[in-house]
Amino acid sequence: MNLISTELLETQDQYLDLLKKIVDKPIESITRVDVDQINLFWYEKRNLIELAASYIFSTKDVFAFTGTANFDMNLVDRRTFFLFGDIRIYDDPLPSYLKVSTLSNNNAFRDAVVRSINISIKAIEQFRGQLLVIPLRSLFELTMDNYDTFYSTAEILFLKEFPQINTSAEFDKVKSLHDIESCGDNSLLKMCPLFDGDNLHSSLAQRIVLFKQNSDSSFYAGLSDTQLYRQTVCSFLAQALAILEMVNQFHVIPYFVNAVALEYVQIFISLVDAQEGTPLIQIPNIRLIIGKSFTAFIFLQEYEKTNLVLSVDQMLASEKNKSLINEMLKVKDFDDLFDVPKILKKIQPILENFVAMD
């Protein structure tokens, strides 16, 4: 094991100690100062992670579990993550979460912080040597301070889909969701889901109602329906850009369990391609990388349908399936990247092996 790999493992132990010190406090006594230690910790580790990305991650298939705060291996379909890659990383969302939120007297937020900390603690303790817990997306935002830029870029892409509106201030004057549907490019409305399971063929008004039913009310408090729509779509687009920049900066392949997060990465790429004058994302082989993400997501969905309950150890021990997974991720023709029938054909023998193992 080289020095960088050794220091990465030591970092996991140090992070675990820090998280335990915070979470061992009574929940009501956790302060902003306590949780800011997490951001400071990773800021100090930024050079190590960049070295690891340059000299280790860039030479291997590294899958990063991202786009969700719920890294729960009790959900059996999530365990398929351990089939993919030479190295696996849980993109800990906690530092980014803290960056845009405040503790104040919000007990619900404190609960969410503690829940997220416990997920990271469990991941480090349970999967040491098989998984690294590193907030890659957040680390990029911390070091580059680009969150505002991400959101601004997302707004530019969003507003270009409304030919009669030039600025966010003008959009805020739109009074109704019907007006959005009237003045917007209908293709954007039909592309951008607001939540998992969103029916894009329903009216925007119906979709907003269901969004509110599926969301924490603190997310949309004080917003009109039109502002809520803009904020939701732009936030997802900004997240997609952050994920793409994470891919570029740290040489990883994003692994999604959240369909909406994956869809917005694909939407972002298509919007950038379609709109003249928008800065292109210069990431080598980006479609091949996202094609692997897409294939892994289809595999997760198909595995879920089998109702199999295999352990992480069984996933890791299956060398035959590892070989088939590697073959599944190979693409000779770029037109096959998002060809679901061809992907399903590659998936079938792997699932048959799992059935035999169960």
Side-chain angles (χ1 to χ4, degrees):
M1 184 178 294
N2 63 35
L3 180 60
I4 296 176
S5 296
T6 300
E7 289 198 21
L8 281 176
L9 290 178
E10 289 175 356
T11 294
Q12 296 294 282
D13 291 333
Q14 294 162 5
Y15 189 39
L16 179 62
D17 288 342
L18 172 60
L19 294 177
K20 284 185 172 180
K21 286 177 183 176
I22 294 173
V23 84
D24 282 346
K25 293 186 172 187
I27 189 170
E28 65 275 4
S29 67
I30 296 175
T31 67
R32 183 76 209 195
V33 173
D34 292 319
V35 294
D36 275 347
Q37 293 178 59
I38 295 171
N39 284 335
L40 181 59
F41 175 87
W42 286 111
Y43 187 79
E44 292 173 346
K45 299 295 182 183
R46 65 194 186 282
N47 289 337
L48 170 63
I49 306 305
E50 287 171 359
L51 283 171
S54 296
Y55 294 103
I56 300 177
F57 302 166
S58 63
T59 64
K60 299 179 181 294
D61 262 359
V62 181
F63 274 78
F65 188 105
T66 191
T68 178
N70 190 4
F71 185 80
D72 183 358
M73 288 301 123
N74 290 323
L75 301 172
V76 295
D77 59 315
R78 305 281 168 101
R79 298 173 190 170
T80 57
F81 175 55
F82 287 88
L83 285 169
F84 295 91
D86 306 305
I87 297 172
R88 289 163 292 278
I89 297 172
Y90 170 43
D91 175 29
D92 187 353
L94 185 58
S96 181
Y97 192 23
L98 297 172
K99 185 174 182 181
V100 296
S101 305
T102 58
L103 280 173
S104 62
N105 294 316
N106 189 334
N107 288 330
F109 178 65
R110 280 195 176 89
D111 288 342
V113 168
V114 170
R115 186 165 55 250
S116 184
I117 289 174
N118 282 324
I119 288 171
S120 294
I121 288 173
K122 184 177 180 181
I124 295 171
E125 291 182 332
Q126 189 173 355
F127 304 115
R128 181 177 171 82
Q130 302 165 344
L131 173 80
L132 296 168
V133 177
I134 305 171
L136 291 178
R137 185 159 38 101
S138 307
L139 185 61
F140 180 79
E141 293 171 6
L142 282 170
T143 55
M144 303 302 290
D145 196 28
N146 262 354
Y147 181 80
D148 290 341
T149 302
F150 292 160
Y151 195 86
S152 296
T153 301
E155 281 198 321
I156 290 170
L157 286 170
F158 175 80
L159 291 173
K160 281 194 174 183
E161 298 298 310
F162 296 88
Q164 302 171 41
I165 300 173
N166 297 314
T167 67
S168 297
E170 288 181 19
F171 190 90
D172 286 340
K173 294 177 183 178
V174 177
K175 298 300 182 184
S176 73
L177 296 172
H178 176 72
D179 290 340
I180 290 178
E181 291 175 313
S182 298
C183 65
D185 182 331
N186 207 32
S187 64
L188 180 73
L189 298 175
K190 290 183 177 179
M191 273 200 305
C192 296
L194 303 178
F195 56 92
D196 195 16
D198 187 8
N199 182 354
L200 300 179
H201 298 292
S202 297
S203 70
L204 192 50
Q206 291 174 311
R207 293 169 58 202
I208 289 290
V209 168
L210 289 173
F211 174 87
K212 290 179 178 180
Q213 292 175 0
N214 286 275
S215 304
D216 184 339
S217 60
S218 63
F219 179 81
Y220 56 81
L223 296 177
S224 68
D225 286 349
T226 54
Q227 290 170 327
L228 173 58
Y229 173 71
R230 181 183 59 135
Q231 177 173 297
T232 302
V233 173
C234 288
S235 293
F236 277 127
L237 288 172
Q239 180 191 59
L241 177 55
I243 289 172
L244 289 167
E245 290 290 3
M246 176 192 76
V247 169
N248 190 38
Q249 182 81 1
F250 298 110
H251 309 289
V252 298
I253 302 164
Y255 181 90
F256 298 98
V257 297
N258 185 318
V260 174
L262 172 58
E263 285 174 42
Y264 269 91
V265 168
Q266 295 174 280
I267 290 167
F268 190 97
I269 293 172
S270 67
L271 287 176
V272 167
D273 282 349
Q275 295 185 1
E276 294 182 5
T278 303
L280 291 174
I281 308 230
Q282 301 297 331
I283 303 176
N285 298 320
I286 184 58
R287 281 176 180 74
L288 179 59
I289 292 168
I290 300 305
K292 289 184 176 183
S293 297
F294 182 77
T295 298
F297 182 75
I298 296 296
F299 183 90
L300 180 148
Q301 290 187 311
E302 292 302 305
Y303 178 81
E304 188 176 25
K305 294 175 185 176
T306 67
N307 295 317
L308 291 170
V309 184
L310 298 179
S311 68
V312 169
D313 287 340
Q314 286 174 300
M315 296 282 183
L316 290 166
S318 178
E319 290 301 324
K320 182 178 181 180
N321 282 330
K322 283 278 190 181
S323 176
L324 289 170
I325 288 284
N326 290 335
E327 193 63 32
M328 179 182 77
L329 293 173
K330 290 180 182 177
V331 178
K332 295 178 181 178
D333 187 342
F334 271 34
D335 290 337
D336 294 344
L337 278 177
F338 302 99
D339 189 323
V340 174
K342 288 184 178 179
I343 293 172
L344 291 175
K345 189 174 180 180
K346 292 181 179 180
I347 287 173
Q348 193 56 41
I350 305 171
L351 294 179
E352 289 171 359
N353 284 341
F354 278 142
V355 170
M357 291 169 60
D358 190 35

